[in-house]
Amino acid sequence: MREKHIDPIHDPIAVEQEDWRKRQIRNRFKQVLTISSPIFILLLWEFLSRTDLIDARFFPPPTKIVGTFLMMGTSGELFSHIGISLYRIFAGFLLGVIPAIILGLIMGLYSPIRHFLSPLIMALMPIPTLALLPIIIIIFGVGEVSKVVTIAGSVFFPVIINTVAGVVNIDRIYLDVAKNYGADSKNFFFKIALPGSLPVMLEGIQMGQAIALLTIVAAEMMGANSGIGYLIWTSYKAFLLQEMYVGLVLISFFGFLFSLILRGFQNKLLPWR
């Protein structure tokens, strides 16, 4: 008996393989675009600065900035600034995120608490944390604690608001099923509220890490003698613009790196998104 010939066009396996191949090509193209845009900007900057189409005093070529970075790294000066800034960022980030998640879950689950605390949060949220820096310094002094608290305060609000929104928007059917099966407060907290609010909560955490970087630079400019923000500000005042650009590039790099880490963490926790 002759075997029935399957047209490759109608073969489901062949069609799936072709779709997979096309998706891979599209993903590679997107990766190339992601990498090419900053490379293009750097090459254009280098060309314009070298040809004096822009003032090299204010916009030094990227190659000179890289040379300054290597020189500062070799002397050890740069890594001391990086280390203290990263410590402040991580400490402030955790100090702001952890209470925000816990309080946000409680507010989302219990309506009376939400209505009691919401006016306070809505009233305090519009106030820039840096505007409160003098009060923070009066309470906590001029040491590391005041800088960590400043970052924590700036991170706290986007995380708690997103966490509350994530819990409130959980499909009501899950809450009803849990009640029907006699779920206690612990199960509501860890098995319904926490996983149900994760997508929106993680977006708030993503916003929080960006705000933490903005805040640390401003806080170190205003009241510090070390850190990346201090490096940027003192270099600007001394007109050492190559050193200033080193600090700016570092902030940009850490922002991109932290965003990638959080996105990877989000993909692990929420693989269906």
Side-chain angles (χ1 to χ4, degrees):
M1 180 181 293
R2 294 177 58 186
E3 294 185 1
K4 185 178 179 181
H5 176 70
I6 300 177
D7 188 345
I9 297 178
H10 302 290
D11 184 0
I13 297 178
V15 171
E16 182 64 29
Q17 289 176 342
E18 181 65 18
D19 289 342
W20 179 84
R21 188 181 67 83
K22 290 180 180 179
R23 286 196 300 270
Q24 291 295 106
I25 293 173
R26 284 197 297 268
N27 289 336
R28 291 195 188 99
F29 180 68
K30 291 176 183 177
Q31 290 172 356
V32 170
L33 286 178
T34 302
I35 296 171
S36 62
S37 58
I39 293 175
F40 172 76
I41 293 297
L42 290 173
L43 291 175
L44 180 63
W45 182 357
E46 183 79 18
F47 171 77
L48 294 175
S49 183
R50 292 288 183 183
T51 56
D52 292 329
L53 293 175
I54 58 175
D55 196 332
R57 294 174 301 172
F58 304 117
F59 302 98
T63 50
K64 287 189 177 181
I65 296 173
V66 171
T68 303
F69 172 83
L70 295 175
M71 181 186 67
M72 295 175 69
T74 303
S75 67
E77 172 192 1
L78 186 61
F79 295 108
S80 64
H81 290 303
I82 292 174
I84 190 63
S85 287
L86 289 180
Y87 161 74
R88 291 164 180 162
I89 290 169
F90 285 128
F93 184 75
L94 293 176
L95 186 62
V97 166
I98 294 174
I101 291 175
I102 295 173
L103 189 57
L105 292 173
I106 294 173
M107 289 176 63
L109 282 174
Y110 303 105
S111 178
I113 298 177
R114 182 167 68 251
H115 285 87
F116 179 75
L117 293 178
S118 288
L120 297 176
I121 293 174
M122 293 300 106
L124 293 173
M125 185 182 66
I127 302 175
T129 310
L130 292 174
L132 299 174
L133 187 58
I135 298 175
I136 294 173
I137 291 176
I138 290 173
I139 297 173
F140 297 101
V142 294
E144 295 301 317
V145 176
S146 61
K147 299 173 186 60
V148 171
V149 170
T150 302
I151 296 170
S154 64
V155 171
F156 177 83
F157 291 103
V159 177
I160 190 172
I161 289 171
N162 279 45
T163 302
V164 173
V167 177
V168 171
N169 289 321
I170 294 175
D171 197 329
R172 188 71 192 178
I173 191 172
Y174 297 112
L175 301 175
D176 293 337
V177 169
K179 288 180 181 178
N180 292 336
Y181 279 90
D184 56 15
S185 299
K186 181 180 177 182
N187 287 326
F188 263 106
F189 198 86
F190 289 104
K191 294 185 178 180
I192 296 182
L194 183 58
S197 63
L198 266 180
V200 184
M201 180 200 303
L202 289 173
E203 292 300 325
I205 293 175
Q206 185 78 256
M207 292 171 54
Q209 68 85 17
I211 294 173
L213 285 169
L214 295 173
T215 305
I216 187 62
V217 172
E220 289 177 343
M221 285 181 176
M222 296 173 64
N225 55 13
S226 61
I228 298 175
Y230 172 81
L231 170 66
I232 294 171
W233 183 242
T234 55
S235 299
Y236 160 73
K237 290 196 296 183
F239 206 71
L240 300 172
L241 296 190
Q242 292 182 32
E243 285 84 348
M244 183 192 76
Y245 278 109
V246 168
L248 293 173
V249 170
L250 283 173
I251 289 295
S252 176
F253 167 76
F254 284 121
F256 182 69
L257 178 63
F258 296 157
S259 180
L260 286 180
I261 292 172
L262 286 174
R263 287 298 177 192
F265 187 60
Q266 184 176 7
N267 291 336
K268 291 290 185 182
L269 290 176
L270 308 170
W272 62 88
R273 289 177 64 86

